Amino acid sequence: MKGIIFDFNGTMVFDDHLHEKAWVDMIKKHNEEVSAEEIIHYIHGRTNEATIKHFMGEVSDEEVQALAEEKEQEYQRLVREEKIGYVDGTEELLDELVRKEIPFTIATASPAINIDFYFDYFELGRWFDREAIIFDDGTFPGKPDPSIYKMAAESLDLEPTDCVVIEDAVSGIQSANAANIGKVFVMVGTEKQKEYYENSDLEIADIISDFHSFLDLMRE
């Protein structure tokens, strides 16, 4: 394996519960008929546009933008309120990748408003070039479509088969496999997640709960 592609939410930071809360609150405010369980089941790895249109029906581009901003502003407020930090070992791993000159990037379904927030709040500029990150800019389908991971591999000047992906969502794993990524590792933050992936038939290399000793595991 020659390069690493990180999903962001649920892999580098355990913030899925905050995305879930922000989505549930926003969607149910505008569509009381849908349940929280339906929302949570659908959202992970999906673009904002796909999620909003799935639950709101045909809405204009302006309405999609307004609803997405409403959700993301609430999500960012929750992150600051809870003082979310990196998954254990993340900063040490990124420092080591820089020292070893191993190429890496982020491929995320997050929109630009959150990428800017992450560079501010999590200080991503210590390791990442803002312009090199692959994010939801509306020009390609969301996961499970393979486009995002094909683009990320290309941005590293590598073949997908030479890359490792770290994911946490079913749609993201499916996306990486469809892109012919060499190895897919699944980050889990709870025992329930771990049990789910241990019993799934998804194509994954291993299940991890932090980034300590990850490079050794990657090379096995």
Side-chain angles (χ1 to χ4, degrees):
M1 299 296 107
K2 298 178 181 178
I4 301 180
I5 304 170
F6 296 88
D7 176 42
F8 189 78
N9 308 104
T11 56
M12 298 178 75
V13 296
F14 287 144
D15 62 348
D16 283 350
H17 61 298
L18 302 184
H19 275 290
E20 289 173 357
K21 179 173 176 19
W23 272 122
V24 168
D25 289 350
M26 189 279 286
I27 291 172
K28 288 187 70 64
K29 174 181 174 183
H30 299 279
N31 180 359
E32 295 180 355
E33 295 182 4
V34 66
S35 71
E37 290 75 16
E38 289 176 273
I39 296 167
I40 291 169
H41 177 74
Y42 182 84
I43 60 175
H44 295 290
R46 312 282 184 178
T47 65
N48 283 358
E49 181 178 9
T51 298
I52 289 168
K53 288 186 175 180
H54 180 81
F55 291 108
M56 306 293 189
E58 287 303 314
V59 292
S60 68
D61 291 344
E62 291 76 14
E63 289 173 311
V64 168
Q65 182 67 23
L67 291 167
E69 287 191 11
E70 179 181 339
K71 179 265 171 178
E72 300 307 353
Q73 287 172 2
E74 175 61 10
Y75 158 74
Q76 292 175 16
R77 186 191 69 77
L78 293 169
V79 169
R80 294 186 186 279
E81 179 178 82
E82 196 164 310
K83 298 182 172 62
I84 293 290
Y86 284 109
V87 168
D88 287 349
T90 300
E91 293 167 282
E92 293 84 353
L93 172 62
L94 295 174
D95 288 340
E96 187 174 2
L97 294 178
V98 171
R99 285 195 300 271
K100 293 181 179 294
E101 298 184 339
I102 297 173
F104 58 95
T105 191
I106 290 172
T108 175
S110 291
I113 187 175
N114 277 353
I115 300 302
D116 293 338
F117 172 69
Y118 299 147
F119 269 82
D120 176 30
Y121 182 84
F122 293 107
E123 299 181 345
L124 280 180
R126 289 180 283 172
W127 308 282
F128 295 93
D129 176 358
R130 168 68 173 75
E131 301 305 313
I133 287 177
I134 310 299
F135 64 94
D136 175 25
D137 62 359
T139 64
F140 55 88
K143 304 169 185 177
D145 185 275
S147 298
I148 190 169
Y149 282 121
K150 289 181 177 180
M151 294 170 62
E154 184 177 355
S155 77
L156 297 178
D157 199 25
L158 294 172
E159 292 296 322
T161 52
D162 289 328
C163 296
V164 164
V165 158
I166 300 96
E167 260 289 353
D168 73 306
V170 171
S171 63
I173 296 167
Q174 293 170 334
S175 171
N177 287 332
N180 293 318
I181 291 296
K183 288 185 179 181
V184 181
F185 290 84
V186 179
M187 177 67 73
V188 298
T190 67
E191 283 299 316
K192 183 178 180 180
Q193 277 183 301
K194 183 179 180 182
E195 182 179 351
Y196 173 82
Y197 284 116
E198 284 176 339
N199 293 293
S200 78
D201 57 0
L202 293 163
E203 187 177 344
I204 58 177
D206 210 338
I207 299 169
I208 58 176
S209 58
D210 60 49
F211 284 116
H212 296 301
S213 304
F214 176 73
L215 286 184
D216 293 335
L217 182 64
M218 185 183 81
R219 294 190 180 104
E220 290 182 359

